Amino acid sequence: MIRDYAKKYYLEQDYNCAESVFLAAGEALGLGLTDRDAKLIGGFGGGIGCGSVCGALAGAVAVLGAVRIGTRAHATEGFKEECAALKAAFEARLGGVLCAEVKPRYAVPEQRCFAAVQLACDVLEAQLRPAGEEPISAAEIKRVKGLGFLQQKGTRKFNGRILTRNGKISAAEGRAIAEAAEKFGAGEVAMTTRLTLEVQGIPYENIESFRACIAQAGLETGGTGSKVRPVVSCKGTTCQYGLCDTFALSRQLHETFYQGWHDVLLPHKFKIAVGGCPNNCVKPDLNDFGVVGQRVPQFDAGACRGCKKCAVEKNCPIGAAKLRDGRLVIDTDACNHCGRCVGRCPFHALEDGRYGYRVYIGGRWGKHVAQGQALRTIFTSPEAVTAVLEKALLLFRDQGITGERFSDTIDRLGFENVEAQLLDDALLARRDEILQAEKHLVGGATC
């Protein structure tokens, strides 16, 4: 596992052998080591610059100290013996402990001593591993991640993501989750931003037992990988501002695309959120595909009496409704269709509003944030939303480059181009061809 981080530091960022082992182990084990910390070990690279003690061994010993030492090295029972054991294991594996002995065996022009750095990582990891415990292979870590189990750095423990119905669980399901968390994990449950419940600290050996336990309550884990992620929504069905049945629509989209497209590989993860109104509590416009409930006001200008104190203007939260020359005017470009103005006019100038759905595409958050852009059409039925989402996914799979998010695909192709394709049916006609193509076998999602 530690060796998986060594390439990043040694080959890609040009750290020396001592710094690379030190920083690779620090990241793999979650030790919080920094570049500034690495300066303390940097002088040991190249055998202290003169072919003496191998820098990779020195970096490994430094990590051993960071993990094992309590207050003082000489006061830490068994530490000297562990250092000696690490040195002996290094010598047996690499054929010596001096740079002058190791470098001739492993150095090559293109990669320098990268092979020696990797072996030093392996020796260190074996030293830190409890006796008799076999490492978990990268392939197995990837497999269980696909089941919804994310490894805790530097441990054999995982956090298991239990899917919910947009954050809802029954009391019986809650009891089953609590029981499974105590029996198979660390007894703690965290809530994720995607409305899944993450049971913490499940030992690798307990994963299958944990899955079997929660399955008895009708629960399952998942929600990782370069695929459609579990659909989330706000509580628009019950909220006073809700303009659509968010639970019904999000469940339909979840069943159709998260469950129905579960084996479809995409360039990267694809997140979907349904919001009941423009309050954006669930941040639909920061998802790859976001849906926002709408109520487009139907303004009868002829019924306006030109009241000096307009109730519609007073109740518009964003200032889109204003009196101009004594008459009500609604700025349709500024109006976000929240519906708060409907029914406010005592003379019935705004008695009705057309319900619908606004769709945003290309939102994301994280290291790079992008606000989704709205399609120009207000969709008037759940079926229309489902259709445009399917076209968005087909476009992403067909025209997206492996490793890029949907926002990057849109930027590369151009929003107007993407919008035109989503409002047309050509992608649906190629549905089978797009889904059957062998693409994105290794997607860009790392969690």
Side-chain angles (χ1 to χ4, degrees):
M1 179 182 65
I2 297 174
R3 67 159 43 216
D4 297 335
Y5 295 88
K7 180 181 178 182
K8 168 183 171 182
Y9 293 104
Y10 192 74
L11 295 182
E12 297 175 5
Q13 298 185 21
D14 199 32
Y15 285 93
N16 68 26
C17 52
E19 296 165 331
S20 296
V21 172
F22 182 79
L23 290 172
E27 183 172 354
L29 302 174
L31 300 178
L33 302 178
T34 67
D35 289 349
R36 184 173 182 178
D37 298 325
K39 292 179 181 180
L40 300 175
I41 194 69
F44 288 84
I48 319 180
C50 61
S52 185
V53 175
C54 174
L57 173 58
V61 172
V63 172
L64 186 64
V67 173
R68 299 292 197 230
I69 294 175
T71 55
R72 298 287 186 275
H74 62 262
T76 302
E77 185 177 353
F79 181 64
K80 290 181 180 179
E81 290 76 11
E82 278 211 76
C83 288
L86 178 64
K87 178 256 184 187
F90 186 95
E91 185 173 19
R93 188 76 178 271
L94 283 84
V97 295
L98 301 179
C99 176
E101 298 170 331
V102 173
K103 188 173 181 178
R105 294 170 180 262
Y106 296 99
V108 294
E110 295 297 322
Q111 296 192 330
R112 300 176 288 149
C113 287
F114 181 53
V117 167
Q118 287 186 304
L119 289 174
C121 291
D122 293 343
V123 170
L124 172 61
E125 188 165 348
Q127 180 74 25
L128 296 174
R129 189 185 309 133
E133 186 179 88
E134 290 299 318
I136 306 171
S137 69
E140 182 62 7
I141 291 172
K142 181 179 179 180
R143 184 188 75 82
V144 298
K145 185 178 80 170
L147 298 174
F149 293 85
L150 301 179
Q151 187 180 29
Q152 295 182 350
K153 273 187 178 182
T155 74
R156 292 175 65 84
K157 294 183 179 180
F158 292 75
N159 299 333
R161 291 180 176 174
I162 298 177
L163 302 182
T164 69
R165 295 175 295 280
N166 304 315
K168 288 199 302 184
I169 57 172
S170 69
E173 289 168 337
R175 287 190 291 271
I177 293 170
E179 179 182 344
E182 290 182 340
K183 187 173 182 180
F184 300 106
E188 296 180 334
V189 182
M191 290 169 283
T192 73
T193 57
R194 301 299 298 173
L195 301 182
T196 62
L197 294 174
E198 198 169 86
V199 174
Q200 307 285 291
I202 302 171
Y204 169 72
E205 292 76 15
N206 287 353
I207 286 178
E208 292 307 321
S209 298
F210 174 81
R211 293 181 68 214
C213 180
I214 64 169
Q216 296 177 11
L219 296 165
E220 61 178 334
T221 58
T224 59
S226 296
K227 303 177 180 181
V228 176
R229 294 298 181 87
V231 181
V232 303
S233 78
C234 70
K235 60 174 186 177
T237 308
T238 58
C239 176
Q240 61 178 318
Y241 299 117
L243 300 174
C244 66
D245 189 342
T246 55
F247 286 145
L249 177 57
S250 60
R251 183 155 194 166
Q252 176 183 331
L253 299 181
H254 183 88
E255 291 174 353
T256 302
F257 298 107
Y258 173 73
Q259 295 178 343
W261 286 48
H262 193 263
D263 296 326
V264 177
L265 299 175
L266 299 173
H268 213 296
K269 56 189 171 187
F270 193 96
K271 297 180 177 180
I272 304 165
V274 180
C277 77
N279 281 348
N280 279 9
C281 296
V282 76
K283 302 174 180 61
D285 57 342
L286 292 181
N287 283 256
D288 298 280
F289 188 94
V291 183
V292 178
Q294 304 277 280
R295 194 178 186 188
V296 184
Q298 306 298 296
F299 176 43
D300 180 2
C304 176
R305 301 287 185 89
C307 300
K308 293 182 179 180
K309 291 186 177 181
C310 177
V312 173
E313 181 184 39
K314 180 181 178 181
N315 282 280
C316 179
I318 61 170
K322 291 185 178 296
L323 288 179
R324 291 180 185 170
D325 299 325
R327 310 292 292 183
L328 178 65
V329 176
I330 296 179
D331 184 343
T332 55
D333 291 331
C335 179
N336 67 0
H337 309 153
C338 68
R340 301 277 290 279
C341 60
V342 175
R344 298 294 183 177
C345 176
F347 302 104
H348 312 297
L350 267 165
E351 279 301 287
D352 197 9
R354 177 168 55 90
Y355 288 96
Y357 308 89
R358 170 165 278 168
V359 167
Y360 292 86
I361 59 172
R364 63 184 292 185
W365 70 84
K367 292 185 291 294
H368 302 285
V369 178
Q371 186 171 17
Q373 300 181 70
L375 301 182
R376 63 176 180 267
T377 300
I378 301 296
F379 299 93
T380 57
S381 70
E383 292 73 24
V385 173
T386 301
V388 76
L389 173 53
E390 181 170 17
K391 286 183 277 189
L393 287 167
L394 290 170
L395 183 148
F396 189 36
R397 186 168 206 275
D398 183 48
Q399 300 171 40
I401 297 173
T402 300
E404 71 178 4
R405 289 293 297 270
F406 191 38
S407 60
D408 300 322
T409 303
I410 294 169
D411 288 343
R412 180 169 51 79
L413 299 178
F415 176 79
E416 292 76 12
N417 175 9
V418 172
E419 181 180 45
Q421 292 191 65
L422 299 188
L423 298 179
D424 185 75
D425 288 337
L427 285 163
L428 294 178
R430 297 179 51 233
R431 183 181 190 277
D432 291 343
E433 171 198 339
I434 293 171
L435 293 182
Q436 291 169 11
E438 287 197 11
K439 303 182 72 171
H440 317 303
L441 301 182
V442 180
T446 57
C447 62

